[in-house]
Amino acid sequence: MKTDIILAGVGGQGILTIATILGAAALKENLYLKQAEVHGMSQRGGDVQSNLRISSEPIHSDLIPYGSADLIVSLEPMEALRYVPYLSKEGWIVTNTNPFVNIDNYPEMSEVESELEDCGNVVAFNMDETAKSLMSPRSSNMVLLGAASPFIDLKTEEIEQAIANLFSKKGVKIVESNIGAFKAGRKYTEDLLKSRTLNS
């Protein structure tokens, strides 16, 4: 078992929270784990990117080589596209489609969406809207984690337990809302994959 994940987004979106949760779940399953240092500006609004590697065998490097990532997981669509050269031919992009416009020359969303479609294996939807519909607007990162989880060989119950452990100090309602967001994201991807199977 091996899953190489590029985590991408901008500071303040909760991307590194995803890494923390996946790491905790992986360790619970006695898997090997390596995470590269965060690249970019981790303050709010700055670009953030990190490599997360999970494996049943020892991992020799914390960096994912070009063309070998199994997943690009991003809360910002243009940031997802930035790391496409790292993606393997069979890899998947899982991304939020709601842009975080932090530069003057941010491209038109129609261009971004077109480029995403050209990548093939893509799960892309407005995760902020999904979080808001659940009355949990700050949990879009958990929607993203859920949407990516079908491609990560970790037990769903271990991921949910890691979410519960991380948010336990904030109370039961916060735990439940974050797990609810995770489940909503996972359902979106599961439904998409079923649809692709039926139409293929």
Side-chain angles (χ1 to χ4, degrees):
M1 173 268 175
K2 175 191 74 72
T3 307
D4 285 345
I5 306 168
I6 302 275
L7 297 166
V10 299
Q13 288 187 309
I15 279 290
L16 299 182
T17 299
I18 292 174
T20 300
I21 291 166
L22 290 176
L27 292 174
K28 208 60 165 115
E29 295 192 40
N30 296 312
L31 296 170
Y32 292 92
L33 171 76
K34 280 201 175 183
Q35 183 182 358
E37 290 184 10
V38 176
H39 298 278
M41 304 294 287
S42 59
Q43 75 261 26
R44 186 171 296 275
D47 303 337
V48 177
Q49 181 266 328
S50 183
N51 291 197
L52 182 65
R53 311 190 78 182
I54 301 169
S55 177
S56 55
E57 302 294 329
I59 304 165
H60 300 294
S61 172
D62 56 2
L63 294 176
I64 298 170
Y66 279 106
S68 65
D70 301 293
L71 271 175
I72 294 173
V73 177
S74 180
L75 262 173
E76 210 293 321
M78 197 175 76
E79 291 301 315
L81 290 170
R82 189 192 299 270
Y83 299 102
V84 167
Y86 285 90
L87 196 65
S88 71
K89 290 180 181 178
E90 298 80 27
W92 281 81
I93 296 172
V94 183
T95 185
N96 188 9
T97 55
N98 192 35
F100 188 101
V101 182
N102 56 352
I103 55 173
D104 293 334
N105 59 341
Y106 196 101
E108 293 292 327
M109 266 311 294
S110 57
E111 294 176 31
V112 175
E113 289 169 356
S114 178
E115 284 194 51
L116 282 171
E117 287 175 13
D118 290 343
C119 293
N121 292 337
V122 178
V123 177
F125 62 100
N126 191 325
M127 297 171 184
D128 296 313
E129 283 299 321
T130 300
K132 286 176 186 174
S133 73
L134 298 168
M135 310 302 287
S136 184
R138 297 183 65 186
S139 63
S140 54
N141 61 333
M142 292 299 100
V143 177
L144 174 63
L145 175 57
S149 65
F151 306 111
I152 304 171
D153 196 11
L154 292 172
K155 294 175 184 174
T156 304
E157 56 267 30
E158 293 294 0
I159 300 176
E160 290 184 8
Q161 186 59 56
I163 293 170
N165 292 344
L166 184 66
F167 291 104
S168 61
K169 290 181 180 178
K170 296 186 177 182
V172 173
K173 286 187 177 179
I174 297 296
V175 169
E176 289 176 348
S177 65
N178 278 281
I179 290 177
F182 169 82
K183 288 180 176 178
R186 185 175 177 90
K187 185 178 186 305
Y188 184 96
T189 296
E190 288 176 339
D191 290 347
L192 179 69
L193 294 176
K194 284 177 189 173
S195 174
R196 282 176 59 128
T197 301
L198 290 172
N199 294 328
S200 61

